[in-house]
Amino acid sequence: MSIPFLDLGAPYHELQPQIDAAVSRVLASGWYILGPEVEAFEAEWAQYCGVSHAVGLANGLDALTLALRALGIMPGDEVIVPSNTYIATWLAVSAVGATPVPVEPDPATHNIDPKRIEVAITSSTRVILPVHLYGQPADLDPILVIARRYGLFVVEDAAQAHGASYRGRRIGAHGDIVCWSFYPGKNLGAFGDAGAITTNDSDLAARVAILRNYGSRQKYINEEAGVNSRLDPVQAAILRVKLDVLDEWTARRRSIAALYAQGLAGTGLTLPQVPNWADPAWHLYVVRSLNRAGLQAHLTAAGIDTLIHYPIPPHMQNAYAGLGLAPHALPLARDLAAQVISLPMGPHLTTEQATRIVEVVVSCEQWEE
Ligand SMILES: Cc1ncc(COP(=O)(O)O)c(C=O)c1O
């Protein structure tokens, strides 16, 4: 049995009649930029997240960048980011000319450690930007307390956290602005690039909506130098279909995660730890191994695809050589990058496949010794 990391075609095959109908509806409407389909998705996504506004955008990186622009973040400002994240989080900070200031994770959760944030705050800090990495919610309450104490904004990178909850409340409405990616492999994925922000602040929502459309609210009247980052109505229509099944598909991810947790306990691998306040969306199931290369080779030999999220942390990328951070400046990010391995995870992974993966990992226990 060969098992792909993620079957990207499976969502279409499951939902083909509804998706074909949604795409045809947009094509027949003659409305191809913004318009009713985008507005309908924005309303439905805001409602799902329990927040008053959603603004559809072209991708998740733009969501982060425009969120920071809407808050007035500019060169000279510092934004606190996790050292352990996908590089897009940092790139958004760089895109507005501000400086990313990395803070190390809690190794138990892989997410930014709130206890380490305060020492990173300077007179230039404007924003704390936690990431809900792998769909595990970051510990938001202490972050919000610190932000209030120092007068900082909280922008969340929720690109991997559709449907996750923090202390019983869905991700999407805690911070000042929450940023979403609907990249195809995400838990709520389009069939191309797409993104959004959610916020309870109507001024911020309006500001992002202007920025995404050339800085214009009214055609040919440009209030500021914006960009073109509009959510495509075809993608919005597809996202509406997929939003209807998001909870069901998240439940499937949760049962795979439970099967892995039970089957892999006692293997010597470090498994994801879920604090009692977290209800993760299980975008990825990431384990840690001191012999990752051996484990990955063993799985590959058995026909099981795995991926590394992420092999090189941002501070060790050439893109950030200018910050002058040595690998050991952020040892937790460096070490996690050397140990993590993601097992196949997704709503179309069958129980039979997941059981097979457990069997193969367990048969590899010698690698851990
Ligand atoms: C944590 C995180 N932030 C930001 C992004 C950027 O999203 P996009 O690829 O839609 O630009 C991604 C995904 O690619 C991500 O995983």
Side-chain angles (χ1 to χ4, degrees), residues 186-246:
K186 302 301 191 205
N187 289 30
L188 179 60
F191 292 152
D193 276 311
I197 61 97
T198 49
T199 179
N200 277 316
D201 184 322
S202 51
D203 291 339
L204 286 176
R207 190 96 213 279
V208 172
I210 292 167
L211 285 169
R212 79 171 166 186
N213 193 27
Y214 309 124
S216 166
R217 197 185 312 242
Q218 202 186 331
K219 211 169 166 82
Y220 305 132
I221 309 288
N222 297 83
E223 299 171 34
E224 57 186 311
V227 296
N228 178 350
S229 181
R230 300 175 294 225
L231 175 62
D232 178 341
V234 174
Q235 301 301 343
I238 292 165
L239 288 167
R240 293 180 70 194
V241 173
K242 294 183 82 182
L243 180 52
D244 278 345
V245 297
L246 177 59

Side-chain angles (χ1 to χ4, degrees), residues 34-348:
L34 296 176
E37 208 67 54
V38 171
E39 284 164 23
F41 173 68
E42 287 172 338
E44 289 162 17
W45 184 236
Q47 190 187 19
Y48 181 86
C49 294
V51 68
S52 49
H53 305 279
V55 181
L57 301 166
N59 57 68
L61 175 58
D62 281 0
L64 289 158
T65 307
L66 297 185
L68 294 171
R69 272 193 74 177
L71 291 169
I73 307 309
M74 56 177 70
D77 292 337
E78 291 177 0
V79 176
I80 291 181
V81 291
S83 60
N84 182 48
T85 182
Y86 181 55
I87 197 167
T89 318
W90 289 39
L91 292 176
V93 178
S94 305
V96 299
T99 305
V101 174
V103 166
E104 290 267 75
D106 176 346
T109 64
H110 296 206
N111 273 324
I112 194 165
D113 184 348
K115 293 189 296 301
R116 297 170 186 262
I117 289 177
E118 238 167 317
V119 293
I121 294 174
T122 72
S123 56
S124 300
T125 309
R126 302 283 314 282
V127 177
I128 307 174
L129 206 175
V131 179
H132 307 298
L133 198 65
Y134 311 146
Q136 310 276 345
D139 193 1
L140 288 171
D141 277 355
I143 294 173
L144 291 163
V145 167
I146 295 168
R148 264 194 297 274
R149 187 178 310 145
Y150 290 88
L152 309 175
F153 296 113
V154 174
V155 174
E156 296 165 54
D157 181 340
Q160 304 186 355
H162 318 75
S165 295
Y166 176 71
R167 296 193 184 278
R169 187 170 164 220
R170 280 223 178 98
I171 295 297
H174 296 84
D176 294 286
I177 308 191
V178 182
C179 303
W180 302 93
S181 164
F182 306 117
Y183 179 82
K186 302 301 191 205
N187 289 30
L188 179 60
F191 292 152
D193 276 311
I197 61 97
T198 49
T199 179
N200 277 316
D201 184 322
S202 51
D203 291 339
L204 286 176
R207 190 96 213 279
V208 172
I210 292 167
L211 285 169
R212 79 171 166 186
N213 193 27
Y214 309 124
S216 166
R217 197 185 312 242
Q218 202 186 331
K219 211 169 166 82
Y220 305 132
I221 309 288
N222 297 83
E223 299 171 34
E224 57 186 311
V227 296
N228 178 350
S229 181
R230 300 175 294 225
L231 175 62
D232 178 341
V234 174
Q235 301 301 343
I238 292 165
L239 288 167
R240 293 180 70 194
V241 173
K242 294 183 82 182
L243 180 52
D244 278 345
V245 297
L246 177 59
D247 283 345
E248 186 195 324
W249 288 12
T250 304
R252 294 189 204 167
R253 290 174 182 273
R254 288 192 174 127
S255 60
I256 299 287
L259 190 152
Y260 280 155
Q262 196 182 18
L264 300 177
T267 54
L269 294 172
T270 305
L271 304 181
Q273 291 179 41
V274 181
N276 59 12
W277 40 256
D279 197 1
W282 298 108
H283 173 57
L284 295 170
Y285 193 90
V286 177
V287 301
R288 289 203 325 257
S289 167
L290 294 178
N291 187 356
R292 178 182 63 196
L295 176 61
Q296 190 168 37
H298 182 76
L299 285 159
T300 305
I304 297 167
D305 288 346
T306 54
L307 289 175
I308 308 298
H309 296 93
Y310 297 94
I312 305 174
H315 78 283
M316 290 167 62
Q317 298 279 1
N318 205 29
Y320 283 103
L323 288 182
L325 290 167
H328 63 262
L330 298 163
L332 289 171
R334 177 201 58 192
D335 292 350
L336 289 177
Q339 295 169 14
V340 291
I341 174 166
S342 307
L343 302 180
M345 169 54 85
H348 297 93

